[in-house]
Amino acid sequence: MGRIGEKFRQLREKGEKALVAYIVAGDPSLEITKEIILGFKDAGVDIIELGVPFSDPTADGPVIQVASGRALEQGTDLVSILDMVESVNKSADIPIVLFGYYNPIFAYGNKRFAQRARASGVDGILVVDLPPEESRELRKYTDQADIGFISLLAPTTSSERIRKISEEATGFLYYVSITGVTGTKKPRVSDIRDEMKRVRRITEMPVVVGFGISTPGQAGEIAPYADGIVVGSAFVHMIEEHAGDSNMVNIVSDYAKEIKTAIHKGRNL
Amino acid sequence: MKTQLPDREGHFGVFGGRYAAETLMPAIIELEEAYKEIKKDKTFAKEYASYLRDYSGRETPLYFAERLTEKLGGAKIYLKREDLNHTGSHKINNTLGQALLARRMGKRKIIAETGAGQHGVATATVAALFGMECKIFMGREDIERQSPNVFRMKILGAEVVPVISGTDTLKDAMNEAMRYWVSHVKDTYYVIGTTAGPHPYPVMVRNFQSVIGREVKRQILKKEGRLPDVLIACIGGGSNAMGLFYPFRNDVDVVMTGVEAGGRGIATGMHAASIAEGKVGVLHGNKTYLLQDEKGQVRDTCSIAAGLDYPGVGPEHSYLHSIGRAGYVTVDDREATDAFLFLSEYEGIIPAMESAHAVAYAMKLAPTMSREKVIVINLSGRGDKDAGIIAEKLEVK
């Protein structure tokens, strides 16, 4: 199953949990996005989730909405993102998942996208508005290209539906820890503990938890119950705040390091 | 056309469907189940019909516009007077149905998006009627240009939430309503106002609105002894048009024409004509014709009519267009404004700026048809809310 599967296998062997870091591609520019990815890798980030900006990000909170707007103003598009991913893959070995909405992919062409993404070394995709009911038209091509189809689970998802989704998903599952949009509410640890028990009974696939996790403390508390933690809006917000600083990449990577350390400490709780 | 559409997953041919995040899917499925139940339920049908009759004042008249007909010198023109509904537009047909459904589902809080404010007012109204909490999402630009409706919603006890993102219009209001719904999905019902959104909204809204076409059919047979030659309705998301067209879908001799907003002119690129100028894409839970750039980013739209200022269109319209059963044309801001004034002056009926688009197309079409022919225009709403815009345009003091 490629680099994603290999990553989780290694982590499980060591009894460790993944840090998945989300940033918006092209905010503030694709050159800097590349630097951040390389910085993340050195900081111990396990998987990169690269937001593909869309004009109408209905699952995202204000932080990622404005970051997507900035990226689009820079002229960021699917092709330039894939070029950047290809260039990252020449200098570093870290699994990369594209996270976005369906329309930019559909407009580019599903088949063409799958081929191009494969050639660039994309490991997986998470298309927010493509539930299993509608995913066949894209997966027809991405499955063939061996690109993981990462699926969301929500607190409201029934056990029957979790079974169906996990049977069809490839790569890993992404448990949305709050009923809400990205980077808004704070998840309750006890809820996540119970929910992850429910998910675990149904599937053995790796499950990461995200939406609303922003601090090392939260990450450390939640990590024991999952295979990994996703942090997004917190990084995106830092990038916005330090956009002009020459050491922005270091600041963001240092924060990733802190979170990774907290996850590591929390693992045996 | 005899096959039952949409299919079980909500597809009209390649259009429609359920392109929604997993955070919403369980709520959408719950809604679909509940809707299936009430569709079979005679008590619900009775209750709904009684509210349409006693609360909204249905049936609405089918009015022969004699002076308009004479002035244009061609086909006979009838107006389906949806503007005479309680709250002043066809939107109440749908909000009554959905609020009754929400009540069945035990949801006490309802939310809605609105462009012109007609759907917002109709939702705020039913919230007051059934004692529900109500939040209306409305783009900042629309709040400014449709202020009379904003006051009405507030008087009715709704909270109007200004949306400041994108172009501050209907699309952005819908984005924000969806985000709010995701965050409050357990106790909140989202009343979508048009035949768009994820399945089952397009089919549900169509069915609630199709009372319009069913009445027209009955009324025109009584008045003319035959079906009309042409049906005309304006299209934003397309709920009033779908409501008029649907009962006539198998009457193949009846021409059905939807009128999209041409804004400042198709050539300027500043319009909201999704079918005329869009490509197939995915937004707000369904696949449909969408105004977008070559990268798949949704384009800004522009129309004098806030209710038509939307980059997508209901998926069933995309389907009717693709099979050629309905035709779609555009009317620009200037033509709509002229029609607004024309109908006001010759018939004493001030149409909503949205409905004025349908009138404008009829004004072009009628003179080309013979006097025996019959046109029915869906006069979907009244235009009090637009008096300010027109006054500004004409510098009426």
Short mmCIF file of all heavy atoms in Angstrom, two decimals, chain A residues 53-58 60 65 72 77 102-104 106-107 128-131 133-134 137 152 156-157 161 165 176 179-181 185, chain B residues 9 11 17-23 25-26 29 171 175 178-179 182-183 185-186 280-283 287 290 292 294-298:
data_model
loop_
_atom_site.label_atom_id
_atom_site.label_comp_id
_atom_site.label_asym_id
_atom_site.label_seq_id
_atom_site.Cartn_x
_atom_site.Cartn_y
_atom_site.Cartn_z
N PRO A 53 -6.55 24.59 -2.47
CA PRO A 53 -7.51 25.66 -2.22
C PRO A 53 -8.72 25.61 -3.16
O PRO A 53 -8.58 25.29 -4.33
CB PRO A 53 -6.70 26.94 -2.44
CG PRO A 53 -5.53 26.53 -3.28
CD PRO A 53 -5.25 25.10 -2.93
N PHE A 54 -9.88 25.93 -2.59
CA PHE A 54 -11.14 25.97 -3.36
C PHE A 54 -11.89 27.24 -2.96
O PHE A 54 -11.83 27.67 -1.82
CB PHE A 54 -11.97 24.71 -3.05
CG PHE A 54 -13.28 24.65 -3.80
CD1 PHE A 54 -13.34 24.88 -5.16
CD2 PHE A 54 -14.46 24.34 -3.12
CE1 PHE A 54 -14.56 24.81 -5.85
CE2 PHE A 54 -15.68 24.27 -3.81
CZ PHE A 54 -15.72 24.51 -5.17
N SER A 55 -12.62 27.78 -3.93
CA SER A 55 -13.34 29.04 -3.70
C SER A 55 -14.43 28.93 -2.64
O SER A 55 -14.78 29.92 -2.01
CB SER A 55 -13.96 29.51 -5.02
OG SER A 55 -14.73 28.45 -5.61
N ASP A 56 -14.98 27.73 -2.45
CA ASP A 56 -16.11 27.58 -1.54
C ASP A 56 -15.90 26.43 -0.56
O ASP A 56 -16.58 25.40 -0.65
CB ASP A 56 -17.39 27.38 -2.36
CG ASP A 56 -17.72 28.61 -3.18
OD1 ASP A 56 -17.14 28.77 -4.27
OD2 ASP A 56 -18.52 29.43 -2.72
N PRO A 57 -14.97 26.61 0.38
CA PRO A 57 -14.63 25.50 1.28
C PRO A 57 -15.64 25.35 2.42
O PRO A 57 -15.43 25.84 3.52
CB PRO A 57 -13.25 25.90 1.81
CG PRO A 57 -13.22 27.41 1.72
CD PRO A 57 -14.17 27.81 0.63
N THR A 58 -16.73 24.64 2.14
CA THR A 58 -17.85 24.61 3.10
C THR A 58 -17.57 23.79 4.36
O THR A 58 -18.32 23.88 5.31
CB THR A 58 -19.12 24.03 2.43
OG1 THR A 58 -18.75 22.83 1.76
CG2 THR A 58 -19.71 24.99 1.44
N ASP A 60 -14.69 24.06 5.98
CA ASP A 60 -13.61 24.72 6.69
C ASP A 60 -14.05 25.95 7.46
O ASP A 60 -14.94 26.69 7.04
CB ASP A 60 -12.50 25.12 5.70
CG ASP A 60 -11.70 23.91 5.26
OD1 ASP A 60 -11.13 23.24 6.14
OD2 ASP A 60 -11.67 23.62 4.06
N GLN A 65 -10.40 29.12 5.47
CA GLN A 65 -11.09 29.87 4.40
C GLN A 65 -10.22 31.01 3.88
O GLN A 65 -10.02 31.15 2.68
CB GLN A 65 -12.39 30.49 4.92
CG GLN A 65 -13.55 29.55 5.07
CD GLN A 65 -14.72 30.26 5.75
OE1 GLN A 65 -15.06 31.38 5.42
NE2 GLN A 65 -15.31 29.61 6.72
N LEU A 72 -5.35 31.15 -3.59
CA LEU A 72 -5.95 31.32 -4.92
C LEU A 72 -5.49 32.63 -5.54
O LEU A 72 -5.24 32.71 -6.75
CB LEU A 72 -7.48 31.27 -4.83
CG LEU A 72 -8.07 29.89 -4.53
CD1 LEU A 72 -9.58 29.99 -4.33
CD2 LEU A 72 -7.75 28.90 -5.65
N ASP A 77 -2.90 26.45 -8.35
CA ASP A 77 -3.90 25.53 -8.89
C ASP A 77 -3.39 24.10 -8.78
O ASP A 77 -2.27 23.86 -8.30
CB ASP A 77 -4.26 25.89 -10.33
CG ASP A 77 -3.06 25.80 -11.27
OD1 ASP A 77 -2.05 25.16 -10.91
OD2 ASP A 77 -3.14 26.36 -12.38
N TYR A 102 -14.07 18.49 -4.46
CA TYR A 102 -14.12 17.73 -5.71
C TYR A 102 -14.00 18.58 -6.97
O TYR A 102 -13.37 18.18 -7.94
CB TYR A 102 -15.40 16.91 -5.73
CG TYR A 102 -15.52 15.95 -6.91
CD1 TYR A 102 -14.40 15.26 -7.39
CD2 TYR A 102 -16.74 15.73 -7.51
CE1 TYR A 102 -14.51 14.38 -8.45
CE2 TYR A 102 -16.86 14.84 -8.57
CZ TYR A 102 -15.75 14.18 -9.05
OH TYR A 102 -15.86 13.31 -10.09
N ASN A 103 -14.61 19.76 -6.97
CA ASN A 103 -14.73 20.46 -8.25
C ASN A 103 -13.42 20.76 -8.99
O ASN A 103 -13.35 20.57 -10.20
CB ASN A 103 -15.59 21.72 -8.13
CG ASN A 103 -16.17 22.13 -9.46
OD1 ASN A 103 -16.78 21.31 -10.16
ND2 ASN A 103 -15.95 23.36 -9.86
N PRO A 104 -12.37 21.20 -8.30
CA PRO A 104 -11.11 21.43 -9.03
C PRO A 104 -10.56 20.15 -9.69
O PRO A 104 -10.00 20.21 -10.79
CB PRO A 104 -10.15 21.95 -7.95
CG PRO A 104 -11.05 22.57 -6.93
CD PRO A 104 -12.28 21.69 -6.91
N PHE A 106 -12.49 17.50 -10.64
CA PHE A 106 -13.46 17.18 -11.69
C PHE A 106 -13.22 18.07 -12.93
O PHE A 106 -13.28 17.59 -14.06
CB PHE A 106 -14.88 17.37 -11.14
CG PHE A 106 -15.96 17.03 -12.11
CD1 PHE A 106 -16.22 15.72 -12.46
CD2 PHE A 106 -16.75 18.04 -12.66
CE1 PHE A 106 -17.23 15.40 -13.35
CE2 PHE A 106 -17.77 17.73 -13.56
CZ PHE A 106 -18.01 16.41 -13.90
N ALA A 107 -12.93 19.34 -12.68
CA ALA A 107 -12.70 20.28 -13.79
C ALA A 107 -11.43 19.90 -14.55
O ALA A 107 -11.35 20.04 -15.76
CB ALA A 107 -12.62 21.72 -13.27
N VAL A 128 -13.23 16.02 0.43
CA VAL A 128 -14.21 16.23 1.49
C VAL A 128 -15.64 15.96 1.05
O VAL A 128 -16.41 15.32 1.75
CB VAL A 128 -14.13 17.68 2.01
CG1 VAL A 128 -15.08 17.88 3.18
CG2 VAL A 128 -12.71 18.01 2.43
N ASP A 129 -15.99 16.46 -0.14
CA ASP A 129 -17.39 16.37 -0.56
C ASP A 129 -17.64 15.19 -1.51
O ASP A 129 -18.53 15.26 -2.35
CB ASP A 129 -17.88 17.69 -1.18
CG ASP A 129 -16.95 18.20 -2.27
OD1 ASP A 129 -15.87 17.62 -2.48
OD2 ASP A 129 -17.30 19.21 -2.93
N LEU A 130 -16.85 14.13 -1.33
CA LEU A 130 -17.05 12.94 -2.14
C LEU A 130 -17.26 11.73 -1.22
O LEU A 130 -16.33 10.97 -0.96
CB LEU A 130 -15.84 12.74 -3.06
CG LEU A 130 -16.07 12.03 -4.39
CD1 LEU A 130 -17.14 12.71 -5.23
CD2 LEU A 130 -14.77 11.96 -5.17
N PRO A 131 -18.48 11.56 -0.72
CA PRO A 131 -18.76 10.42 0.16
C PRO A 131 -18.77 9.13 -0.67
O PRO A 131 -18.76 9.20 -1.90
CB PRO A 131 -20.17 10.73 0.69
CG PRO A 131 -20.82 11.52 -0.40
CD PRO A 131 -19.70 12.33 -1.02
N GLU A 133 -20.95 7.24 -1.58
CA GLU A 133 -22.07 7.18 -2.53
C GLU A 133 -21.69 7.74 -3.90
O GLU A 133 -22.27 7.37 -4.91
CB GLU A 133 -23.28 7.96 -2.00
CG GLU A 133 -24.06 7.26 -0.91
CD GLU A 133 -23.46 7.46 0.49
OE1 GLU A 133 -22.34 7.97 0.59
OE2 GLU A 133 -24.12 7.07 1.47
N GLU A 134 -20.74 8.70 -3.91
CA GLU A 134 -20.42 9.37 -5.18
C GLU A 134 -18.98 9.16 -5.62
O GLU A 134 -18.55 9.73 -6.61
CB GLU A 134 -20.66 10.89 -5.04
CG GLU A 134 -22.07 11.29 -4.64
CD GLU A 134 -23.11 11.05 -5.72
OE1 GLU A 134 -22.73 10.72 -6.87
OE2 GLU A 134 -24.30 11.19 -5.42
N GLU A 137 -16.84 7.44 -9.43
CA GLU A 137 -16.40 8.10 -10.66
C GLU A 137 -14.95 8.57 -10.60
O GLU A 137 -14.28 8.66 -11.62
CB GLU A 137 -17.35 9.25 -11.03
CG GLU A 137 -17.42 10.36 -10.00
CD GLU A 137 -18.49 11.40 -10.34
OE1 GLU A 137 -19.67 11.03 -10.43
OE2 GLU A 137 -18.13 12.58 -10.50
N LEU A 152 -13.49 10.18 5.54
CA LEU A 152 -13.84 10.80 6.82
C LEU A 152 -14.86 9.94 7.57
O LEU A 152 -15.73 9.32 6.96
CB LEU A 152 -14.48 12.17 6.58
CG LEU A 152 -13.62 13.29 5.98
CD1 LEU A 152 -14.50 14.51 5.72
CD2 LEU A 152 -12.48 13.67 6.92
N THR A 156 -21.33 11.57 14.07
CA THR A 156 -22.71 11.20 13.74
C THR A 156 -22.79 9.98 12.82
O THR A 156 -23.88 9.50 12.52
CB THR A 156 -23.42 12.38 13.05
OG1 THR A 156 -22.54 12.93 12.07
CG2 THR A 156 -23.79 13.47 14.05
N THR A 157 -21.64 9.49 12.35
CA THR A 157 -21.66 8.35 11.44
C THR A 157 -22.07 7.08 12.19
O THR A 157 -21.48 6.75 13.21
CB THR A 157 -20.26 8.14 10.81
OG1 THR A 157 -19.82 9.37 10.24
CG2 THR A 157 -20.29 7.07 9.73
N ARG A 161 -22.52 2.42 8.91
CA ARG A 161 -21.88 3.23 7.89
C ARG A 161 -20.35 3.21 8.04
O ARG A 161 -19.63 3.21 7.05
CB ARG A 161 -22.42 4.66 8.01
CG ARG A 161 -22.42 5.41 6.73
CD ARG A 161 -23.11 6.74 6.83
NE ARG A 161 -22.43 7.66 5.91
CZ ARG A 161 -22.61 7.65 4.60
NH1 ARG A 161 -23.47 6.84 4.04
NH2 ARG A 161 -21.93 8.49 3.83
N ILE A 165 -17.80 2.32 5.10
CA ILE A 165 -16.75 3.26 4.70
C ILE A 165 -15.37 2.63 4.88
O ILE A 165 -14.51 2.72 4.00
CB ILE A 165 -16.85 4.58 5.51
CG1 ILE A 165 -18.12 5.34 5.12
CG2 ILE A 165 -15.62 5.46 5.30
CD1 ILE A 165 -18.44 6.54 5.99
N VAL A 176 -13.31 12.76 12.35
CA VAL A 176 -13.56 14.18 12.61
C VAL A 176 -14.03 14.30 14.06
O VAL A 176 -15.10 13.82 14.42
CB VAL A 176 -14.65 14.71 11.65
CG1 VAL A 176 -14.97 16.16 11.96
CG2 VAL A 176 -14.20 14.57 10.20
N THR A 179 -18.42 17.88 15.82
CA THR A 179 -19.41 18.17 14.79
C THR A 179 -19.24 19.65 14.48
O THR A 179 -19.71 20.51 15.19
CB THR A 179 -20.85 17.90 15.28
OG1 THR A 179 -21.02 18.56 16.53
CG2 THR A 179 -21.10 16.42 15.45
N GLY A 180 -18.51 19.92 13.44
CA GLY A 180 -18.25 21.31 13.11
C GLY A 180 -17.30 21.43 11.95
O GLY A 180 -16.94 20.43 11.32
N VAL A 181 -16.87 22.65 11.66
CA VAL A 181 -15.91 22.89 10.60
C VAL A 181 -14.52 22.96 11.21
O VAL A 181 -14.37 23.02 12.43
CB VAL A 181 -16.25 24.18 9.80
CG1 VAL A 181 -17.53 23.97 9.01
CG2 VAL A 181 -16.38 25.38 10.72
N LYS A 185 -14.43 24.34 17.27
CA LYS A 185 -14.62 23.85 18.64
C LYS A 185 -13.43 23.01 19.10
O LYS A 185 -12.65 22.53 18.30
CB LYS A 185 -15.85 22.95 18.69
CG LYS A 185 -17.14 23.57 18.25
CD LYS A 185 -18.23 22.48 18.32
CE LYS A 185 -19.48 22.88 17.58
NZ LYS A 185 -20.40 21.75 17.39
N GLU B 9 -30.32 7.44 -5.47
CA GLU B 9 -29.25 8.26 -4.89
C GLU B 9 -29.42 9.73 -5.27
O GLU B 9 -28.53 10.54 -5.03
CB GLU B 9 -27.88 7.76 -5.38
CG GLU B 9 -27.58 6.31 -5.03
CD GLU B 9 -27.24 6.14 -3.54
OE1 GLU B 9 -26.87 7.14 -2.90
OE2 GLU B 9 -27.35 5.02 -3.04
N HIS B 11 -29.99 11.08 -8.42
CA HIS B 11 -29.43 11.53 -9.71
C HIS B 11 -30.51 11.75 -10.75
O HIS B 11 -31.41 10.94 -10.92
CB HIS B 11 -28.43 10.50 -10.26
CG HIS B 11 -27.27 10.27 -9.34
ND1 HIS B 11 -27.17 9.15 -8.55
CD2 HIS B 11 -26.19 11.03 -9.07
CE1 HIS B 11 -26.06 9.23 -7.84
NE2 HIS B 11 -25.46 10.37 -8.12
N GLY B 17 -27.34 14.12 -7.19
CA GLY B 17 -26.52 13.30 -6.29
C GLY B 17 -26.35 13.91 -4.91
O GLY B 17 -27.13 14.77 -4.50
N ARG B 18 -25.32 13.41 -4.23
CA ARG B 18 -25.10 13.81 -2.83
C ARG B 18 -23.63 14.03 -2.61
O ARG B 18 -22.94 13.15 -2.11
CB ARG B 18 -25.57 12.69 -1.92
CG ARG B 18 -26.93 12.94 -1.35
CD ARG B 18 -27.22 11.99 -0.26
NE ARG B 18 -27.44 10.68 -0.81
CZ ARG B 18 -28.41 9.87 -0.39
NH1 ARG B 18 -29.19 10.23 0.59
NH2 ARG B 18 -28.56 8.68 -0.93
N TYR B 19 -23.13 15.16 -3.01
CA TYR B 19 -21.71 15.46 -2.85
C TYR B 19 -21.54 16.26 -1.56
O TYR B 19 -21.39 17.48 -1.59
CB TYR B 19 -21.19 16.23 -4.07
CG TYR B 19 -21.22 15.40 -5.34
CD1 TYR B 19 -22.39 15.30 -6.11
CD2 TYR B 19 -20.10 14.69 -5.75
CE1 TYR B 19 -22.42 14.52 -7.26
CE2 TYR B 19 -20.12 13.91 -6.90
CZ TYR B 19 -21.29 13.84 -7.65
OH TYR B 19 -21.31 13.06 -8.78
N ALA B 20 -21.62 15.54 -0.45
CA ALA B 20 -21.57 16.23 0.84
C ALA B 20 -20.54 15.56 1.74
O ALA B 20 -20.26 14.37 1.61
CB ALA B 20 -22.95 16.19 1.49
N ALA B 21 -20.00 16.34 2.65
CA ALA B 21 -19.01 15.82 3.59
C ALA B 21 -19.66 14.81 4.53
O ALA B 21 -20.86 14.89 4.81
CB ALA B 21 -18.39 16.96 4.40
N GLU B 22 -18.86 13.89 5.03
CA GLU B 22 -19.37 12.86 5.93
C GLU B 22 -20.02 13.48 7.17
O GLU B 22 -20.94 12.91 7.75
CB GLU B 22 -18.24 11.91 6.33
CG GLU B 22 -18.66 10.74 7.21
CD GLU B 22 -19.79 9.88 6.60
OE1 GLU B 22 -19.90 9.81 5.38
OE2 GLU B 22 -20.55 9.30 7.40
N THR B 23 -19.54 14.66 7.56
CA THR B 23 -20.12 15.33 8.72
C THR B 23 -21.60 15.66 8.51
O THR B 23 -22.35 15.86 9.45
CB THR B 23 -19.35 16.63 9.03
OG1 THR B 23 -19.01 17.25 7.79
CG2 THR B 23 -18.08 16.33 9.79
N MET B 25 -23.51 13.80 5.96
CA MET B 25 -24.21 12.66 5.35
C MET B 25 -25.25 12.01 6.27
O MET B 25 -26.38 11.75 5.84
CB MET B 25 -23.22 11.61 4.84
CG MET B 25 -22.54 11.99 3.53
SD MET B 25 -23.67 12.33 2.17
CE MET B 25 -24.24 10.67 1.79
N PRO B 26 -24.91 11.75 7.56
CA PRO B 26 -25.93 11.13 8.41
C PRO B 26 -27.20 11.99 8.52
O PRO B 26 -28.31 11.47 8.48
CB PRO B 26 -25.22 10.99 9.76
CG PRO B 26 -23.77 10.88 9.40
CD PRO B 26 -23.60 11.83 8.24
N ILE B 29 -29.15 11.66 5.28
CA ILE B 29 -29.83 10.37 5.19
C ILE B 29 -31.04 10.34 6.13
O ILE B 29 -32.11 9.85 5.76
CB ILE B 29 -28.84 9.22 5.50
CG1 ILE B 29 -27.80 9.14 4.36
CG2 ILE B 29 -29.56 7.89 5.66
CD1 ILE B 29 -26.59 8.29 4.67
N LYS B 171 -24.62 32.58 -2.79
CA LYS B 171 -23.72 31.43 -2.72
C LYS B 171 -23.00 31.39 -1.37
O LYS B 171 -22.86 30.34 -0.74
CB LYS B 171 -22.68 31.53 -3.84
CG LYS B 171 -21.55 30.54 -3.73
CD LYS B 171 -20.41 30.87 -4.68
CE LYS B 171 -19.58 32.04 -4.17
NZ LYS B 171 -18.14 31.89 -4.31
N ASN B 175 -22.98 28.71 1.71
CA ASN B 175 -21.77 28.14 2.32
C ASN B 175 -21.86 28.24 3.84
O ASN B 175 -21.58 27.28 4.56
CB ASN B 175 -20.52 28.93 1.90
CG ASN B 175 -20.12 28.66 0.46
OD1 ASN B 175 -20.53 27.67 -0.13
ND2 ASN B 175 -19.31 29.53 -0.10
N MET B 178 -24.41 26.01 5.47
CA MET B 178 -23.94 24.62 5.52
C MET B 178 -22.95 24.43 6.66
O MET B 178 -22.97 23.42 7.37
CB MET B 178 -23.32 24.20 4.19
CG MET B 178 -24.38 24.01 3.11
SD MET B 178 -23.70 23.52 1.51
CE MET B 178 -23.71 21.74 1.70
N ARG B 179 -22.06 25.42 6.84
CA ARG B 179 -21.08 25.33 7.94
C ARG B 179 -21.80 25.33 9.29
O ARG B 179 -21.44 24.58 10.19
CB ARG B 179 -20.10 26.51 7.88
CG ARG B 179 -19.16 26.43 6.72
CD ARG B 179 -18.10 27.54 6.77
NE ARG B 179 -17.34 27.52 5.53
CZ ARG B 179 -17.36 28.49 4.62
NH1 ARG B 179 -18.07 29.59 4.81
NH2 ARG B 179 -16.65 28.37 3.52
N VAL B 182 -23.48 21.89 9.83
CA VAL B 182 -22.50 20.89 10.25
C VAL B 182 -22.25 20.99 11.75
O VAL B 182 -22.14 20.00 12.46
CB VAL B 182 -21.16 21.08 9.50
CG1 VAL B 182 -20.07 20.22 10.14
CG2 VAL B 182 -21.29 20.71 8.05
N SER B 183 -22.19 22.23 12.22
CA SER B 183 -21.82 22.45 13.63
C SER B 183 -22.99 22.24 14.59
O SER B 183 -22.78 22.15 15.79
CB SER B 183 -21.28 23.87 13.80
OG SER B 183 -20.32 24.15 12.81
N VAL B 185 -25.76 20.02 13.86
CA VAL B 185 -26.54 19.09 13.05
C VAL B 185 -27.52 18.26 13.89
O VAL B 185 -28.55 17.81 13.37
CB VAL B 185 -25.56 18.21 12.23
CG1 VAL B 185 -24.86 17.20 13.10
CG2 VAL B 185 -26.23 17.59 11.04
N LYS B 186 -27.26 18.14 15.17
CA LYS B 186 -28.11 17.26 15.96
C LYS B 186 -29.50 17.83 16.22
O LYS B 186 -30.47 17.08 16.28
CB LYS B 186 -27.42 16.89 17.28
CG LYS B 186 -26.37 15.80 17.05
CD LYS B 186 -25.52 15.51 18.25
CE LYS B 186 -24.41 14.54 17.89
NZ LYS B 186 -23.24 14.66 18.76
N VAL B 280 -20.42 21.71 -16.44
CA VAL B 280 -20.84 20.81 -15.37
C VAL B 280 -19.79 20.81 -14.26
O VAL B 280 -18.59 20.75 -14.52
CB VAL B 280 -21.04 19.37 -15.92
CG1 VAL B 280 -21.45 18.42 -14.80
CG2 VAL B 280 -22.09 19.38 -17.03
N GLY B 281 -20.28 20.92 -13.04
CA GLY B 281 -19.38 20.93 -11.88
C GLY B 281 -20.13 20.53 -10.62
O GLY B 281 -21.29 20.14 -10.69
N VAL B 282 -19.44 20.62 -9.50
CA VAL B 282 -20.04 20.20 -8.23
C VAL B 282 -19.94 21.33 -7.21
O VAL B 282 -18.85 21.83 -6.93
CB VAL B 282 -19.32 18.94 -7.68
CG1 VAL B 282 -19.83 18.62 -6.28
CG2 VAL B 282 -19.56 17.75 -8.62
N LEU B 283 -21.09 21.74 -6.71
CA LEU B 283 -21.13 22.75 -5.64
C LEU B 283 -22.37 22.51 -4.79
O LEU B 283 -23.42 22.11 -5.30
CB LEU B 283 -21.18 24.17 -6.24
CG LEU B 283 -21.20 25.31 -5.21
CD1 LEU B 283 -19.86 25.45 -4.49
CD2 LEU B 283 -21.57 26.65 -5.87
N LYS B 287 -24.26 17.87 -8.48
CA LYS B 287 -23.57 18.08 -9.75
C LYS B 287 -24.53 18.75 -10.71
O LYS B 287 -25.66 18.29 -10.89
CB LYS B 287 -23.08 16.75 -10.32
CG LYS B 287 -22.16 16.91 -11.53
CD LYS B 287 -21.79 15.57 -12.13
CE LYS B 287 -20.62 14.95 -11.40
NZ LYS B 287 -20.23 13.67 -12.05
N LEU B 290 -22.50 24.91 -13.69
CA LEU B 290 -21.90 25.78 -12.69
C LEU B 290 -21.03 26.82 -13.38
O LEU B 290 -20.24 26.49 -14.27
CB LEU B 290 -21.05 24.90 -11.76
CG LEU B 290 -20.38 25.52 -10.56
CD1 LEU B 290 -21.42 26.06 -9.59
CD2 LEU B 290 -19.51 24.46 -9.85
N GLN B 292 -17.90 28.66 -13.50
CA GLN B 292 -16.60 28.40 -12.89
C GLN B 292 -15.51 28.75 -13.88
O GLN B 292 -15.76 28.84 -15.08
CB GLN B 292 -16.52 26.91 -12.52
CG GLN B 292 -16.83 25.98 -13.69
CD GLN B 292 -16.79 24.51 -13.31
OE1 GLN B 292 -15.89 24.08 -12.62
NE2 GLN B 292 -17.77 23.73 -13.77
N GLU B 294 -11.60 27.88 -15.57
CA GLU B 294 -11.10 26.63 -16.15
C GLU B 294 -10.41 25.75 -15.11
O GLU B 294 -10.17 24.57 -15.33
CB GLU B 294 -10.21 26.91 -17.37
CG GLU B 294 -8.86 27.53 -17.08
CD GLU B 294 -8.94 29.03 -16.76
OE1 GLU B 294 -10.05 29.62 -16.70
OE2 GLU B 294 -7.87 29.63 -16.55
N LYS B 295 -10.13 26.33 -13.92
CA LYS B 295 -9.50 25.56 -12.85
C LYS B 295 -10.52 24.94 -11.90
O LYS B 295 -10.16 24.35 -10.89
CB LYS B 295 -8.58 26.48 -12.03
CG LYS B 295 -7.58 27.28 -12.84
CD LYS B 295 -6.35 26.45 -13.18
CE LYS B 295 -5.40 27.17 -14.12
NZ LYS B 295 -4.81 28.38 -13.57
N GLY B 296 -11.80 25.19 -12.17
CA GLY B 296 -12.83 24.62 -11.30
C GLY B 296 -13.11 25.47 -10.07
O GLY B 296 -13.72 25.00 -9.11
N GLN B 297 -12.65 26.72 -10.09
CA GLN B 297 -13.02 27.64 -9.00
C GLN B 297 -14.32 28.33 -9.40
O GLN B 297 -14.49 28.71 -10.56
CB GLN B 297 -11.92 28.68 -8.76
CG GLN B 297 -10.54 28.08 -8.50
CD GLN B 297 -10.46 27.24 -7.22
OE1 GLN B 297 -11.30 27.38 -6.31
NE2 GLN B 297 -9.47 26.37 -7.15
N VAL B 298 -15.22 28.49 -8.42
CA VAL B 298 -16.53 29.05 -8.73
C VAL B 298 -16.40 30.54 -9.01
O VAL B 298 -15.69 31.26 -8.31
CB VAL B 298 -17.49 28.80 -7.55
CG1 VAL B 298 -18.87 29.37 -7.86
CG2 VAL B 298 -17.60 27.30 -7.29
#
